[in-house]
Amino acid sequence: MTSLQVGKHDGEAGGTSQEGYERGLGSRQVQMIAIGGAIGVGLFMGAGANIAKAGPGIILMYALAGVVIFFIMRALGELLLYRPVSGSFAEYAREFLGPFFGFATGWTYWLMWVVTGMAELTAASIYMHFWFPRIPQWVSALVFLLVLFGVNLISVKIFGEVEFWFSMVKVTAIIGMIVIGLGVLTLGFSDAGDTASVSNLWTHGGIFPNGIGSSLMTLQGVMFAYLAVELVGVTAGESENPEKTLPKAINTLPWRIIIFYVGALAVILSVVKWTDFSAGESPFVHAFEEIGIPLAAGIVNFVVLTAALSSCNSGMYSTGRMLRDLASNGEAPRSFGRLNARRTPAVGIAVSVALMGIGVVLNYVVPEKAFGYVVSVATAAGIWTWMMILISHIRYRREVEAGRLPASSFPAPGGSRLSWVALVFLVAVTGMIAYDRDSRISLVVGGVWGVGLAVGWAVLKKRDPRLGRSTPTTWTPRGRESPPSSAPVIGSWQRLPGRRDPMVSR
């Protein structure tokens, strides 16, 4: 029997977690990682195509999706404060749904970030062509890959600092756009002053100019823009004070969505009517040009380049941690579980980076098609991850209500009811992906990946039958025992032989 302090982590700020990681991510960095995770290339570039399809109704679609994302993050937050582990989603799926789901979730989330890393490297190299058209696309991709690999290899503190400044650039750009746009609307200055008006949101065909159905079909693209908000969960094992930083990061999510998505798009579509936007262009670049800001294209190109590198940087970070969690449970080679002298999973990161290097090869062989080849997988993988979080939360709440597990210090509002709402929403979005001819390829790739996971799991179980055994975790209140430290000891954990304890350092 292993006795654990629920909510307690060994080591103060700057120490180590029970998983062996360095707790090197401070509150400032976790907050900015959370903000940066909600602002990606999907907003800076992908919003243009969504505006062309949905018109002003896209604002409501981002708001609707944002509400569901908040439900998902509150469900994750309750699980994180119940048991903060760096394996996060995979660990909870393993505990509440069974070993196979932990295996599948870990590898699927790893795949999502590997292919996202390929896509972002491709995007970053395309953006570099704006300034350096003579440099081959694959050279830029390779340089970015190696630099970010070095950042992730040195220490988690360096990763956190780099991500902090990447996110700062994105946040500053959007806030600047909002402030300038509000100035145009209220004071009427700039080249767009004569036509800028809040009435642009409804006077050019209405809020839903192409029908509500057309707007709803953009939800698949909108959800892609929100991928990476769950990255906060992966930082749990390396946050200095997860009991404080994680709830704060999650609770501020609605404000980030209101400001950076709903607010920014509302201002842009008020300054420039929606009919002026088209797929393949950044709405931010177009709006800056309409306003007449000097060097607008260059400024936004720099911001979008930063967003792409930020996403790739986060991908390297999360893939290494997820591979280590899989290795610790016997679901990946043991070498992936090793930490280097700086307490980073160097082997896992190196393997992930090597596979991201396929993106460099694609940029060399088919530079004009590289982005499209790799981006379709990310949405399906992300939706799977969110579904596993929600189902794990529903199962966890059942265990708490039955008195078999301790209650989290950060309960989700409405218990599991809002998780059910979010789950139904994700199923509906999956149906939209299947209906759309251009995007259903992601489900085909997902199906092939699922078959591969099933075969891999069967091979692993044959080698080690213990992996397929779902070992329950029970919890027994301690009664009147005094806690040995300032952090309350809530109960005792009991695990049967044959299953590694994910909270014990490997």
Side-chain angles (χ1 to χ4, degrees), residues 50 53 213-214 216-221 428-444:
N50 291 327
K53 292 179 182 178
S214 180
L216 289 174
M217 287 302 294
T218 64
L219 281 173
Q220 48 188 303
V429 172
T430 304
M432 294 175 192
I433 293 174
Y435 180 78
D436 189 349
R437 181 179 59 187
D438 294 331
S439 61
R440 67 172 65 121
I441 186 175
S442 63
L443 298 183
V444 175

Side-chain angles (χ1 to χ4, degrees), residues 459-473:
V459 172
L460 284 175
K461 278 204 306 179
K462 189 174 182 179
R463 291 180 178 177
D464 185 359
R466 293 179 301 172
L467 290 176
R469 299 172 188 168
S470 181
T471 304
T473 302

Side-chain angles (χ1 to χ4, degrees), residues 188-266:
F189 65 83
S190 87
D191 297 341
D194 294 336
T195 58
S197 171
V198 177
S199 63
N200 283 333
L201 296 178
W202 59 80
T203 55
H204 300 281
I207 296 178
F208 300 105
N210 297 323
I212 295 179
S214 180
S215 295
L216 289 174
M217 287 302 294
T218 64
L219 281 173
Q220 48 188 303
V222 170
M223 296 305 289
F224 174 77
Y226 283 118
L227 289 181
V229 294
E230 74 290 329
L231 184 64
V232 174
V234 185
T235 69
E238 293 168 278
S239 302
E240 289 179 352
N241 193 345
E243 294 89 351
K244 293 183 179 180
T245 57
L246 295 179
K248 184 177 180 181
I250 292 171
N251 279 336
T252 55
L253 180 62
W255 292 110
R256 298 198 298 271
I257 291 172
I258 290 172
I259 294 173
F260 299 127
Y261 281 89
V262 178
L265 290 174

